Amino acid sequence: MAPLLDQLSPTQQAVDTYLAHSLDMNRDFPGMDAPDASSWPAASVSQGPASAGREGGWEQAISELLASLASSQLQQLGACLEQFFQMLKVVGVLLGPRAAAGTVHALLLRTAALLGHRLRDTVDLPALLAAAPEAAQSRLAAAAGACDAWRRGYLATRAELEAGGQTGRWEHDRAALFAGTDHAAGACRRLAGALAGVHGVLGLLGADLESVAGAGLDRLAGLRAEARAALGALRDAALAAPPGDFLDPGSAGRWDQCLASLEAAGKSLAAGAQDLLDTSLTRCPGAADGARLLGKLLRDRHAGVALLRHVPEKVTDLVQTFAAEIRVAEREADRWCEGGAGNRTPYPGLSALTSTLLRVSATRSRLEEAATAIQASGEALTPEDQGVMAACAALVQRLALAEVDIWRDWVERAEREVGTAMRQPLLVQPPQEAASGWPLARIKLPELSDHVQAAQQARCLGIAVPPFLRGAALALPLMLEAGRRLQALLQQLAESRRKLRSPERLLLQPALEKVRLALLPGTQHMHWGSLSLDAFISSVQKAIAAFTCTAKAVACAASEMRRALRALPRETDWPGEGTDTGSRVIDHAATNAGLGGSVRRGEEAAVAAAHSLQATLVRIEEGVLGTSTGSARSMAAYYEHWERRLQDALADCAISWIEGLTSRLSGSCDDTGRTIHVQMELQPQQGLGPLLAWQPRPSLVTEQLSALVTRRAALGAAVVRWIPGTCTPCHTQPLVTHHEDLMHDPGIFAATASFSVLLQGMERTAEQILEQWTAMLTGSQAELTPSSDQPAFTFQLEAKSGKKHPSHEIEALTRFKIDLARIPQTQIADGVRMDATPVLALLEAAADWALAMSAW
């Protein structure tokens, strides 16, 4: 064997070099660990004559290579097979043609079996359907490629060996070697084609089609459901089959039916998608949307082009739609160029400038996007279409210039307005306020917020903001805070003024003048950029605080004086009023005493109210002027005002009291009416019959009531007048009071006149009742005579014709009693209760006595 080895020395060196290189290549593929040599079957190794000196060298290399083939990824199988066929050439050289034939054939069969197992292991159909479409296509292509590499490697090795002349015809059982791999390659390619058809249509029916599908949304959803159902049927079949069954030639019939169903579903989906896409292209809301959809379909050469019909016509229609959009955009551009940033209603929350810039930019972007999409569709444009695209390019350029012009014009205007606003006074006094004499300044905060907001929004759009607007943005919060402080102070001032009445406003005019002087700089030379703004606000705050404090004290004091005047007694006090035993019928003495006390208390209250007003006015003088003289010249009008208020209150008290008395006596107040009780009596006359009279006399009652009313009307006599221009009482003799003024008061005059009419009616009614009684007694058939023999009676009743016959006397007395029964015992008229009960009782007793005596 040594000579043979020596003879093959150069060849063996080449083999050793190749084996080392092959082993290095194996290390480049992960997972290719060399298996144990014992895993090879005995028939796989043939002992050639040249193997004694190199036992195990090529066998080890083949073992490692086939082990790598059994564990490689699909993408690595082609490289492993290429190395395998290179190794077969080496084996042929080492063993010789005759000795290597059996070994090579065994290795080929073994490798074909390993490749089939590896394909069935890696092409797992459930996992393949669960993967992304791109990953599934890549795996199927790799599997088919490995099968192609197996056949290609065999044919290339055969051609090389036969061409070298070292062997005869190099041929092995192709049916055994390639039946499984050819079936696997065909199945993978068919499955890849079927999946590509379904996945391609499903990809075209994505979310971007929903915006343009319009009324075809239901059809779109149906196509998606149909595609998912077809894929689901294949997945269910794969899950029900054993692992690797898809590439098993024995299961070809069953999987052929599944693939045929999937291919049919793809064709059905393609037909439905074709109609939907045609409809969607005609319903696109704009040229940009249509161009994007068309470009997507044209780029997807597998499904898009096959589904599109009449592509040139569709491109032409799309360009015509785009031309209409360009005409609309040109009219919009004309308005923007003419009106600038303020010709359209701004978007909510955005300034007019930002809204206009966004509209211009959006229009320009929409046109550019549509033009780009149309040009990217890959279709040739007609000259007319190219003209439309040129018009679009010109309009886009115009819009870009319009954006610059709108921004520049706005900046120039904003600079003028901001500068003017910053130079204006802080405060302004409206003309109507100046005419009213009340110098209430109102804040004039420059309208910087809109400019600052527009500048900030423009900055967010990437536009460079000029320095003056950046400065305004920094100053705006400080100005707003100062404006809020000033506004709060002015509102406080206005509220204090609102609570004051006219007399107090006049009184506090000097104090308000101090506030006006503090505000004066803000209406003249102070502006929002002044450095002394904080000091100005502090001085205004101090002046308004002082005025507010004084105004509050004066308003409280004035309210106190008004309460004192309202507290003067105006109601009529009756005896027993306010108690459970109080009666509506009061005797004359109690009435006189009760009303007299009411008048006296009214006089005392009037004097106390005058003293209270004097003390309060002195306190106001002390708070406003810092003096307590009661005779400050600046308060003369205020003193006079409150003395008039005092006199008006006295008059009102007198009128209310008199009117209340009139109402009660006249019975016009149902729940408070009062009556004075008088009683009828029989008074003897010397030598004559008895005389009917009232006790007390109505004239006496009216005289006393009239005197009380006159005293109440003269309530002002109890209050001394003030020295003119002061609140100090005048003590000259005789004392000057409010009596004369009140006696000439029309209200008091009317009230006393009404009461006099009531008293006159009272006296007249009493006289009429007496006349009725006298007439009754005079015209009756019985008469009263002085009693001479009847000690129980002062008078006795005798029938005028009773002495002629006793029966006539009884008849006359009986008629007298009947007449008595017809007369009411009491009558109420004009506040007086006239009671005839005692006289009636006396006459009835006398009549009964006379009847008894006549019967006896």
Side-chain angles (χ1 to χ4, degrees):
M1 295 297 294
L4 177 61
L5 290 176
D6 295 338
Q7 181 181 1
L8 297 177
S9 175
T11 304
Q12 185 62 49
Q13 292 176 1
V15 171
D16 291 342
T17 302
Y18 177 78
L19 288 174
H21 176 68
S22 299
L23 292 175
D24 291 338
M25 289 182 64
N26 289 339
R27 287 191 292 271
D28 294 336
F29 296 95
M32 291 186 177
D33 296 331
D36 189 1
S38 61
S39 63
W40 282 94
S44 65
V45 180
S46 176
Q47 299 294 333
S51 63
R54 301 290 180 181
E55 183 177 0
W58 64 269
E59 294 173 354
Q60 180 68 22
I62 287 289
S63 297
E64 293 177 358
L65 184 61
L66 293 182
S68 298
L69 180 67
S71 59
S72 295
Q73 301 294 329
L74 283 174
Q75 290 78 4
Q76 300 166 352
L77 290 178
C80 290
L81 291 173
E82 182 179 356
Q83 295 180 46
F84 169 76
F85 283 110
Q86 292 292 337
M87 185 62 66
L88 286 184
K89 299 174 188 178
V90 175
V91 173
V93 172
L94 292 177
L95 300 182
R98 291 181 178 274
T103 301
V104 170
H105 186 71
L107 289 174
L108 287 172
L109 292 176
R110 179 61 178 172
T111 303
L114 285 175
L115 180 59
H117 283 294
R118 187 57 184 157
L119 290 175
R120 287 191 293 272
D121 291 341
T122 54
V123 184
D124 183 42
L125 193 54
L128 195 71
L129 295 176
E134 296 80 5
Q137 291 292 330
S138 176
R139 185 172 297 183
L140 289 173
C147 295
D148 293 341
W150 170 245
R151 175 178 285 276
R152 187 171 58 251
Y154 173 84
L155 295 176
T157 301
R158 175 177 175 272
E160 182 180 350
L161 291 178
E162 289 181 353
Q166 298 178 359
T167 63
R169 180 172 176 79
W170 197 83
E171 186 64 79
H172 298 275
D173 187 359
R174 294 193 185 187
L177 295 178
F178 300 115
T181 56
D182 288 347
H183 170 74
C188 288
R189 287 191 172 94
R190 188 178 179 188
L191 177 60
L195 289 177
V198 176
H199 284 150
V201 174
L202 194 59
L204 290 175
L205 305 179
D208 52 353
L209 190 61
E210 294 181 357
S211 60
V212 295
L217 282 176
D218 293 339
R219 179 58 178 152
L220 176 63
L223 290 174
R224 290 174 179 171
E226 184 179 348
R228 296 189 184 100
L231 294 174
L234 182 62
R235 181 174 57 254
D236 294 341
L239 291 174
D245 186 66
F246 176 66
L247 297 182
D248 187 355
S251 304
R254 180 164 59 85
W255 289 110
D256 182 71
Q257 296 177 357
C258 292
L259 293 177
S261 298
L262 187 62
E263 290 167 348
K267 293 178 181 179
S268 174
L269 288 170
Q274 188 176 54
D275 294 335
L276 179 63
L277 292 173
D278 284 342
T279 304
S280 299
L281 280 173
T282 60
R283 292 180 176 176
C284 285
D289 295 325
R292 282 195 302 270
L293 180 59
L294 182 62
K296 173 181 177 176
L297 297 176
L298 294 177
R299 285 191 299 272
D300 192 341
R301 295 297 173 182
H302 179 77
V305 175
L307 294 178
L308 281 179
R309 294 174 291 192
H310 310 293
V311 173
E313 291 82 353
K314 287 181 170 61
V315 174
T316 300
D317 294 340
L318 187 62
V319 173
Q320 294 303 318
T321 301
F322 188 38
E325 294 182 5
I326 291 175
R327 289 192 292 271
V328 174
E330 286 176 343
R331 291 193 293 271
E332 288 286 335
D334 293 338
R335 286 196 293 269
W336 288 323
C337 293
E338 294 173 1
N343 63 339
R344 292 277 299 273
T345 302
Y347 294 126
L350 295 179
S351 65
L353 170 69
T354 307
S355 300
T356 302
L357 291 177
L358 286 176
R359 287 188 176 106
V360 176
S361 177
T363 302
R364 180 169 56 82
S365 299
R366 187 173 68 252
L367 294 175
E368 290 177 337
E369 182 182 8
T372 302
I374 292 174
Q375 292 172 348
S377 63
E379 294 296 319
L381 301 178
T382 65
E384 182 180 358
D385 296 341
Q386 292 175 356
V388 172
M389 304 307 292
C392 173
L395 180 57
V396 167
Q397 181 65 23
R398 183 186 176 192
L399 291 175
L401 295 176
E403 290 184 66
V404 176
D405 293 339
I406 291 172
W407 170 251
R408 184 184 62 250
D409 294 343
W410 180 85
V411 169
E412 293 176 355
R413 187 177 70 255
E415 187 172 11
R416 292 193 303 270
E417 293 176 356
V418 170
T420 302
M422 294 295 290
R423 290 189 297 269
Q424 289 182 349
L426 292 177
L427 307 172
V428 62
Q429 180 172 316
Q432 62 271 22
E433 296 290 354
S436 67
W438 185 261
L440 175 59
R442 290 180 179 170
I443 189 169
K444 184 178 174 120
L445 183 64
E447 298 296 334
L448 297 181
S449 299
D450 294 341
H451 296 304
V452 170
Q453 179 191 26
Q456 291 173 341
Q457 293 173 356
R459 187 176 182 182
C460 294
L461 297 178
I463 302 175
V465 178
F468 80 92
L469 283 174
R470 294 198 297 270
L474 294 175
L476 182 60
L478 301 177
M479 292 162 50
L480 290 176
E481 177 61 25
R484 281 191 291 267
R485 291 175 60 192
L486 276 175
Q487 191 67 44
L489 292 173
L490 296 179
Q491 288 177 352
Q492 180 184 356
L493 179 62
E495 183 67 16
S496 299
R497 172 185 177 258
R498 187 187 63 81
K499 293 180 179 179
L500 293 176
R501 300 193 179 188
S502 179
E504 284 73 35
R505 293 180 187 176
L506 294 176
L507 174 65
L508 294 176
Q509 193 66 30
L512 188 61
E513 179 63 18
K514 297 180 181 179
V515 177
R516 190 190 69 81
L517 293 176
L519 291 172
L520 189 60
T523 62
Q524 293 180 347
H525 59 271
M526 289 289 296
H527 52 80
W528 292 103
S530 299
L531 297 177
S532 57
L533 183 59
D534 288 340
F536 167 74
I537 296 177
S538 298
S539 66
V540 170
Q541 181 179 10
K542 182 178 180 181
I544 291 179
F547 172 79
T548 302
C549 182
T550 302
K552 183 177 180 180
V554 171
C556 291
S559 298
E560 181 181 334
M561 290 189 288
R562 283 190 290 271
R563 286 194 301 270
L565 295 180
R566 286 195 300 268
L568 289 175
R570 290 167 170 78
E571 300 295 330
T572 305
D573 297 331
W574 289 87
E577 193 168 39
T579 63
D580 295 337
T581 58
S583 173
R584 293 178 179 268
V585 181
I586 307 169
D587 62 27
H588 167 64
T591 300
N592 193 45
L595 294 179
S598 176
V599 171
R600 183 177 64 257
R601 286 189 294 274
E603 293 170 347
E604 294 171 353
V607 173
H611 291 164
S612 176
L613 260 64
Q614 294 165 11
T616 304
L617 288 172
V618 171
R619 192 169 72 249
I620 291 176
E621 176 191 346
E622 185 175 1
V624 175
L625 302 177
T627 62
S628 56
T629 62
S631 59
R633 294 183 59 183
S634 60
M635 291 184 59
Y638 198 60
Y639 296 146
E640 182 181 355
H641 164 74
W642 280 105
E643 189 173 22
R644 286 197 306 270
R645 291 290 304 275
L646 174 61
Q647 182 173 302
D648 293 342
L650 295 176
D652 183 65
C653 289
I655 294 170
S656 298
W657 192 91
I658 296 172
E659 289 178 347
L661 180 60
T662 303
S663 298
R664 292 193 174 193
L665 291 179
S666 63
S668 60
C669 298
D670 295 337
D671 56 342
T672 59
R674 294 292 185 271
T675 55
I676 302 174
H677 182 261
V678 296
Q679 182 174 285
M680 184 182 294
E681 295 181 351
L682 287 172
Q683 298 179 355
Q685 298 182 92
Q686 186 66 32
L688 299 174
L691 175 67
L692 290 174
W694 294 108
Q695 184 62 33
R697 300 190 313 276
S699 58
L700 177 62
V701 173
T702 57
E703 288 174 2
Q704 293 178 344
L705 288 176
S706 180
L708 290 173
V709 168
T710 301
R711 183 179 171 186
R712 185 65 176 192
L715 181 62
V719 181
V720 179
R721 294 293 301 267
W722 295 346
I723 299 174
T726 72
C727 63
T728 303
C730 180
H731 295 293
T732 60
Q733 295 296 330
L735 292 176
V736 179
T737 65
H738 290 273
H739 176 69
E740 291 296 328
D741 294 326
L742 293 184
M743 292 309 296
H744 292 86
D745 186 273
I748 294 179
F749 179 80
T752 54
S754 297
F755 190 75
S756 298
V757 171
L758 176 70
L759 295 183
Q760 292 173 5
M762 183 188 302
E763 292 187 13
R764 185 167 54 253
T765 301
E767 292 298 329
Q768 290 174 355
I769 294 175
L770 282 181
E771 290 175 359
Q772 292 175 359
W773 273 84
T774 302
M776 186 275 296
L777 292 178
T778 304
S780 66
Q781 298 184 18
E783 60 179 352
L784 290 171
T785 59
S787 176
S788 57
D789 56 353
Q790 302 296 333
F793 300 99
T794 306
F795 304 97
Q796 63 182 12
L797 187 65
E798 296 179 354
K800 295 181 180 179
S801 58
K803 297 179 179 179
K804 296 180 179 180
H805 197 280
S807 62
H808 293 169
E809 182 176 0
I810 294 174
E811 181 180 357
L813 293 173
T814 302
R815 289 179 178 176
F816 181 79
K817 290 192 64 177
I818 294 173
D819 293 339
L820 288 178
R822 295 193 183 101
I823 300 176
Q825 297 183 7
T826 60
Q827 295 186 46
I828 299 176
D830 298 323
V832 178
R833 182 176 185 273
M834 301 177 186
D835 187 6
T837 302
V839 174
L840 284 174
L842 177 62
L843 292 178
E844 288 179 352
D848 291 340
W849 176 264
L851 283 173
M853 293 301 296
S854 298
W856 182 79

